[in-house]
Amino acid sequence: MKALIIVDIQNDFLPGGALAVPGGDQVIAIVNNLLPHFELIVATQDWHPPHHGSFASAHPGRQPFESGRLGDLEQVFWPDHCVQGTLGAEMPLSLNTKPVEAIFRKGTDPGIDSYSGFFDNGKKKDTGLAAYLRGRGVTSIYTVGLAGDYCVGFTALDALAHGFQTFVVEDATRPISQQGFEDMKSAIRQLGGIILNSYLLLQQAN
Ligand code: VGL
Ligand code: ZN
């Protein structure tokens, strides 16, 4: 049983958004086309409270995209983005969310960031996604969405760590940094993950 995980396709990660991923809008049509090929579809949403600790604005004197620390972890400081209840945190209307069965929200604790859909960055809090997928009989996970070098990549790494057969649909994701994505793909492949193109999935009958 295979599941599609749509990671953080939210207005703030699209061109014009607060933390725009280059070409992020181009994944939407590809993801819409993939939906009929999956028996289970779930989504994640980056869902920060105002003044979240990952925001540069929460650290006087720090600028977006600088590195620093949050708690006892290294942290990239981001522009304010995906604040709970704002339009930027919503999924775009052009994304077909009708077949999405569950949404897992993350990044809600102001003191820690959460790139993966499974855990926060310190691996302290579980979102319940793994148990949900196991309960539904899922064995294979296909990850798509934004951004490839952060939330999609870390979701795929945690899926592998949980023992799921894991795929990243490369043309259905876009990275913030191309080099970061190359490094992320190497790490995923090293753990047995597979990077593929959507046409391979669309070729199949169902
Ligand atoms: C993300 C940076 C900060 C992502 C979320 O969804 O990839 N990146 N928050
Ligand atoms: Zn975030």
Side-chain angles (χ1 to χ4, degrees):
M1 158 81 158
K2 56 196 177 96
L4 182 69
I5 305 184
I6 302 173
V7 177
D8 297 9
I9 300 188
Q10 293 168 266
N11 291 323
D12 271 343
F13 295 124
L14 303 180
L19 179 38
V21 179
D25 53 332
Q26 293 166 23
V27 308
I28 296 169
I30 298 171
V31 171
N32 283 341
N33 287 335
L34 286 173
L35 300 175
H37 292 257
F38 288 88
E39 302 157 81
L40 177 64
I41 301 159
V42 301
T44 65
Q45 258 179 324
D46 212 30
W47 198 250
H48 298 306
H51 317 295
H52 188 260
S54 72
F55 297 169
S57 63
H59 305 268
R62 304 310 301 267
Q63 295 302 313
F65 304 103
E66 284 180 10
S67 295
R69 292 193 83 75
L70 180 59
D72 49 13
L73 297 177
E74 252 201 80
Q75 175 71 46
V76 177
F77 294 136
W78 302 108
D80 289 27
H81 64 279
C82 296
V83 173
Q84 298 167 1
T86 64
L87 191 60
E90 295 299 314
M91 293 191 258
L93 294 173
S94 51
L95 179 69
N96 178 11
T97 56
K98 281 187 220 89
V100 174
E101 287 196 29
I103 297 173
F104 291 80
R105 289 174 166 163
K106 61 188 179 59
T108 56
D109 181 336
I112 191 161
D113 211 356
S114 198
Y115 294 144
S116 158
F118 290 95
F119 286 109
D120 63 76
N121 292 359
K123 294 239 154 72
K124 286 177 194 120
K125 258 187 264 169
D126 189 316
T127 62
L129 176 56
Y132 178 86
L133 295 171
R134 282 217 187 85
R136 294 292 304 271
V138 170
T139 49
S140 304
I141 289 175
Y142 292 72
T143 56
V144 297
L146 304 170
D149 46 344
Y150 285 95
C151 293
V152 175
F154 284 105
T155 297
L157 289 174
D158 279 347
L160 287 161
H162 272 110
F164 294 105
Q165 186 180 30
T166 302
F167 301 84
V168 177
V169 187
E170 186 167 14
D171 55 323
T173 182
R174 292 289 184 284
I176 293 171
S177 146
Q178 194 57 53
Q179 186 54 53
F181 189 49
E182 294 306 319
D183 297 344
M184 179 58 82
K185 283 189 290 183
S186 302
I188 290 166
R189 287 195 183 104
Q190 215 125 51
L191 292 173
I194 294 168
I195 316 294
L196 48 61
N197 194 281
S198 64
Y199 81 85
L200 274 176
L201 299 171
L202 297 173
Q203 273 178 347
Q204 290 160 17
N206 65 327

